Amino acid sequence: MTAFLDNAAAHHHESVGFWQDVTGYALSAPRGDDGEFATLLPPDGDAYLRVQRRHQGGDRIHLDLHVADPQAAARAAVAAGGTFVVDRGYVVMASPGGFVFCFVDAPADRRPGATPHGGSSRSRVRQVAIDVPAPAYRTELAFWTAITGWTQRASTVTDDFRFLVPPEAERQPLGLLLQRLGPDDTGEVRAHLDWGTTDRAAETERHLGLGAHVLAVHPHWTVLRDPVGRVYCLTDGDPT
């Protein structure tokens, strides 16, 4: 699984610069008809974070699911409740709650190591959290379980979290977390990125120095906003 940071055109370059700095990853040459795509390149393992300059619309996260046969995977996803959007050689889909993702046939299953950032701090983006309004939660959880085939695991922190865990033998770079939003949040299904850190306090200070802002501090994670407004979390989860 690959996560795309899709950026509004007005601040695409600023967003890419921040995520380059904060991950410590190199940036590939641009590609696409208008140079709208690029990849953040870890020093080892497979790339699993990419960026896209959107022609219209605001910031979002979308996912690429890497499969042997995108068309067959798309048919199975439709049977599970998803919606086919368009086939561009890669197949664009939407979940039952409207969250956009793609099936692609490029391999990507070698997990990079955690990146050291001085002192004892090591970190890596380790999962995508899909944020689901409460009425759609059961349907969305069942859908993502069906199309990934990954194992559900309950959270020890809250009943509003459910992890989808890939087989350890696959060494997937990213896991999935389905988060049930509060009763007052009736927006669209969306997503944010969660980091794993060995020293959350030190990592928070590093992110602040690169232009992020703290929104909330919880016992097991800290919510931040990057310089262009994208929300993400630093967690105590193991970055390796």
Side-chain angles (χ1 to χ4, degrees):
M1 187 166 64
T2 295
F4 265 86
L5 294 105
D6 296 337
N7 298 312
H11 57 233
H12 175 68
H13 293 295
E14 183 181 2
S15 175
V16 171
F18 172 81
W19 284 89
Q20 261 193 277
D21 290 343
V22 80
T23 58
Y25 292 174
L27 185 68
S28 74
R31 61 188 183 276
D33 293 342
D34 298 311
E36 67 270 35
F37 299 112
T39 301
L40 294 170
L41 301 170
D44 63 285
D46 283 323
Y48 66 103
L49 296 174
R50 294 185 168 87
V51 295
Q52 176 179 207
R53 184 185 67 248
R54 300 190 70 186
H55 297 296
Q56 58 184 4
D59 299 332
R60 66 178 185 185
I61 300 288
H62 87 260
L63 298 179
D64 277 3
L65 303 186
H66 298 249
V67 296
D69 186 335
Q71 285 73 29
R75 290 192 293 272
V78 169
T83 301
F84 172 84
V85 178
V86 66
D87 187 342
R88 294 177 174 151
Y90 55 92
V91 182
V92 183
M93 304 287 298
S95 75
F99 182 77
V100 173
F101 67 98
C102 302
F103 286 119
V104 302
D105 60 3
D109 60 1
R110 294 180 303 134
R111 184 185 307 149
T115 304
H117 296 293
S120 62
S121 175
R122 297 171 64 84
S123 66
R124 186 178 69 83
V125 176
R126 70 188 295 269
Q127 71 184 9
V128 176
I130 300 179
D131 303 317
V132 187
Y137 187 74
R138 288 190 177 184
T139 299
E140 204 74 5
L141 178 60
F143 174 78
W144 287 99
T145 303
I147 68 168
T148 62
W150 293 358
T151 302
Q152 287 190 28
R153 190 182 76 211
S155 168
T156 59
V157 175
T158 172
D159 290 339
D160 291 329
F161 292 172
R162 182 72 63 162
F163 296 96
L164 293 182
V165 184
E168 180 58 29
E170 293 186 5
R171 300 287 298 168
Q172 288 282 346
L174 290 169
L176 273 178
L177 167 67
L178 276 287
Q179 174 174 271
R180 180 170 47 223
L181 298 174
D184 296 332
D185 195 328
T186 58
E188 297 180 346
V189 177
R190 50 198 182 273
H192 69 268
L193 299 181
D194 285 345
W195 294 67
T197 66
T198 57
D199 187 335
R200 181 159 48 109
E203 192 68 6
T204 298
E205 290 304 312
R206 188 179 71 85
H207 285 233
L208 294 178
L210 293 169
H213 302 274
V214 171
L215 298 181
V217 180
H218 299 280
H220 302 287
W221 68 90
T222 300
V223 184
L224 294 98
R225 183 180 63 229
D226 77 7
V228 303
R230 186 188 305 276
V231 174
Y232 64 98
C233 294
L234 299 178
T235 82
D236 296 327
D238 184 351
T240 63

